[in-house]
């Protein structure tokens, strides 16, 4: 039986980056960039006014001048016409390009504006600026033309898309979405629109896996097979050829109707492991098909399915889109109460998470009625990974946490 660390290593060893595709920028949220993006000009591209007020030449202020006639008004987006008189001012708005002949901006809050009877305006400085360049964001202060802004491999969020838009990247090369088949198995499962008989349940695992894989960026299709070897022998091979990953739920243990390992082997899949030293989710089959699909055959109990997905399948889905995600730095949380777990297995303990007044992430165990207790996921935010080498975990223990919220 494999350790969790060895199972993780074997899963991630199958990661191969998916090919790239080019899509319009508005469709790229949540995708992974496959090309570097560089500044097409300086950031900002001009000396940018940072406050509403007046633009003046600091030399006039240094010479003792406090009252300035206003020549005109310049809004953001208007061409910056030069100052005509060195001792005058231009009323200026935030975001405008600093006019030639000026080098300093005095904000409205530090001025007294006066309208004369002949239609002219003057501005008197109540708080003189301390130095030239005051309230001016200089050209190229943030980035210079040609600077690398977004390296290949960047996960694209709203800020990244804004940067791409500002350099005119109307289309982006991104990683293709992984194509995932979610397969539920079991005679006891009925469609969610059906009314189950007392010995039946609805197919919740498939929709759980579909939603989780979609959150990870995958394109997901759902299938169902009864506990019938012939049906599996006919239905599995096309999925193993057509999808990047196949997520199966149920039928992987040693029961008389657990036909999946046999059906996968007959379909040409290579078994990389079958059992992992963990709870929940010990009977977990993992392998790959020579034509490309990676196969996660998860146990049918919902908490086992859920935990195994987030511990193994989701990191794989993230890594094939963004290779740097294959070995993310671990997140740790502080256990708030003592826990004893005696079997020599890695234990995935469902917890709710909160932030303490000292800034630490706190993990509080949640009540769970075993791996079939689907409702125990509702108050939980993640699961702590308790190593197999230890039985007793004191309150205050710092442990890795896998978050699913």
């Amino acid at each position: 039986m494999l350790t969790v660390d060895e199972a993780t290593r074997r899963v991630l060893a199958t990661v191969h980056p998916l090919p790239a595709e080019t899509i319009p920028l508005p469709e790229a949220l949540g995708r992974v960039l496959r090309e570097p993006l560089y500044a097409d000009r300086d950031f900002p591209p001009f000396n940018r006014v940072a406050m509403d007020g007046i633009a003046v030449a600091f030399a006039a202020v240094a010479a003792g001048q406090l009252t300035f006639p206003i020549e005109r008004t310049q809004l953001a987006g208007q061409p910056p016409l030069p100052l005509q008189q060195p001792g005058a001012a231009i009323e200026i708005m935030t975001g405008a390009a600093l006019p030639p002949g000026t080098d300093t901006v005095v904000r409205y809050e530090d001025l007294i504006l006066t309208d004369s009877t002949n239609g002219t305006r003057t501005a008197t400085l109540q708080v003189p600026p301390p130095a030239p360049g005051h309230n001016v964001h200089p050209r190229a202060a943030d980035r210079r033309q040609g600077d690398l802004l977004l390296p290949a491999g960047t996960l694209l969020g709203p800020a990244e898309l804004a940067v791409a838009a500002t350099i005119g990247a109307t289309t982006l090369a991104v990683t293709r979405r992984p194509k995932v088949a979610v397969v539920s198995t079991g005679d006891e499962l009925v469609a969610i629109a059906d009314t189950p008989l007392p010995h039946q349940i609805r197919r919740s695992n498939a929709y759980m896996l579909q939603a989780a894989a979609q959150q990870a960026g995958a394109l997901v299709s759902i299938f169902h097979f009864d506990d019938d070897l012939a049906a599996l022998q006919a239905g599995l091979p096309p999925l193993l050829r057509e999808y990047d990953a196949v997520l199966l739920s149920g039928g992987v243990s040693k029961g008389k109707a657990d036909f999946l390992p046999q059906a996968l082997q007959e379909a040409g899949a290579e078994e990389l492991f079958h059992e992992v030293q963990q709870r929940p989710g010990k009977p977990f089959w993992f392998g790959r098909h020579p034509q490309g699909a990676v196969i996660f055959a998860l146990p049918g109990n919902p908490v086992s399915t859920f935990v195994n997905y987030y511990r193994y399948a989701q990191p794989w889905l993230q890594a094939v889109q963004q290779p740097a995600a294959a070995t993310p730095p671990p997140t740790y949380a502080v256990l708030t109460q003592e826990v004893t777990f005696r079997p020599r297995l890695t234990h995935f303990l469902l917890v709710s998470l909160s932030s303490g007044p000292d800034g630490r992430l706190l993990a509080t165990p949640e009540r769970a009625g075993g791996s079939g207790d689907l409702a125990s996921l509702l108050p939980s935010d993640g699961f702590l990974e308790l190593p197999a080498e230890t039985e007793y975990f004191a309150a205050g223990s710092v442990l890795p946490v896998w978050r699913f919220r």
Side-chain angles (χ1 to χ4, degrees):
M1 192 160 45
L2 258 64
T3 66
V4 167
D5 287 344
E6 177 60 19
T8 300
R9 189 193 67 78
R10 295 192 189 187
V11 168
L12 295 181
T14 67
V15 168
H16 295 286
L18 295 173
E21 62 181 0
T22 300
I23 61 173
L25 181 144
E27 299 175 13
L29 180 65
R31 305 294 289 274
V32 175
L33 187 66
R34 292 290 289 273
E35 59 180 335
L37 297 185
Y38 299 91
D40 65 331
R41 55 180 183 163
D42 293 337
F43 279 30
F46 47 78
N47 293 322
R48 182 165 57 83
V49 172
M51 290 284 180
D52 296 331
I54 61 169
V56 298
F58 184 78
V61 179
Q65 183 178 342
L66 294 178
T67 299
F68 292 80
I70 296 176
E71 289 185 351
R72 60 183 179 84
T73 298
Q74 181 186 319
L75 306 180
Q78 292 181 333
L81 301 178
L83 187 69
Q84 298 298 311
Q85 300 295 325
I90 296 174
E91 195 168 4
I92 199 85
M93 302 301 143
T94 301
L98 190 69
T102 69
D103 57 10
T104 300
V105 172
V106 183
R107 61 180 187 164
Y108 280 135
E109 292 88 338
D110 298 330
L111 300 171
I112 295 176
L113 294 174
T114 304
D115 293 318
S116 66
T117 55
N118 62 4
T120 62
R121 302 182 78 200
T122 60
T124 301
L125 278 57
Q126 290 189 302
V127 181
H134 191 58
N135 290 326
V136 176
H137 195 173
R139 176 176 177 170
D142 300 335
R143 298 290 188 276
R144 293 192 175 277
Q145 183 179 7
D147 282 355
L148 177 64
L149 300 177
L150 297 174
T154 299
L155 182 65
L156 296 170
E160 288 75 19
L161 293 184
V163 168
T166 209
I167 64 171
T170 58
T171 61
L172 295 170
V174 299
T175 301
R176 171 177 67 76
R177 292 187 183 276
K179 295 180 292 184
V180 173
V182 167
V183 181
S184 59
T185 65
D187 294 344
E188 76 278 17
L189 302 179
V190 299
I192 59 174
D194 293 347
T195 300
L197 298 173
H199 59 281
Q200 297 175 322
I201 56 175
R202 294 186 177 94
R203 298 171 192 159
S204 58
N205 280 359
Y207 294 95
M208 177 172 66
L209 288 172
Q210 180 190 44
Q214 285 175 336
Q215 279 191 331
L219 300 172
V220 185
S221 302
I222 289 183
F223 304 88
H224 176 77
F225 299 110
D226 289 335
D227 290 324
D228 179 83
L229 180 57
L232 292 170
Q233 289 169 329
L236 283 178
L239 305 184
L240 302 180
R241 292 192 298 266
E242 296 169 11
Y243 289 86
D244 299 306
V246 177
L247 307 181
L248 299 116
S249 174
V252 294
S253 190
K254 299 185 184 300
K256 292 187 179 298
D258 290 334
F259 299 121
L260 266 180
Q262 177 183 345
L264 289 168
Q265 182 181 16
E266 292 177 356
E270 175 191 5
E271 177 185 314
L272 296 177
F273 60 81
H274 192 172
E275 289 189 338
V276 182
Q277 185 184 339
Q278 63 184 26
R279 183 180 292 177
K282 183 172 66 171
F284 164 27
W285 192 102
F286 176 75
R288 59 188 168 195
H289 190 269
Q291 292 182 334
V294 170
I295 306 143
F296 297 84
L298 312 176
N301 281 330
V303 177
S304 296
T305 298
F306 192 86
V307 166
N308 272 331
Y309 169 81
Y310 279 99
R311 183 60 180 82
Y312 301 102
Q314 178 153 293
W316 186 92
L317 287 172
Q318 292 170 334
V320 296
Q321 298 173 82
Q322 186 181 23
T327 53
T331 298
Y332 292 92
V334 180
L335 186 63
T336 61
Q337 61 192 57
E338 66 177 26
V339 171
T340 300
F341 185 75
R342 287 193 168 83
R344 291 293 183 176
L345 303 171
T346 297
H347 182 40
F348 299 128
L349 177 68
L350 289 173
V351 293
S352 56
L353 298 171
S354 60
S355 178
D358 56 0
R360 296 185 303 168
L361 184 63
L362 305 178
T364 300
E366 291 294 333
R367 183 181 65 85
S371 59
D373 183 7
L374 180 60
S376 66
L377 299 174
L378 300 179
S380 304
D381 301 304
F383 52 89
L384 288 182
E385 185 168 320
L386 310 184
E389 298 77 22
T390 308
E391 294 183 354
Y392 174 74
F393 302 88
S397 299
V398 178
L399 296 159
V401 63
W402 296 81
R403 306 183 74 155
F404 50 79
R405 298 192 198 282

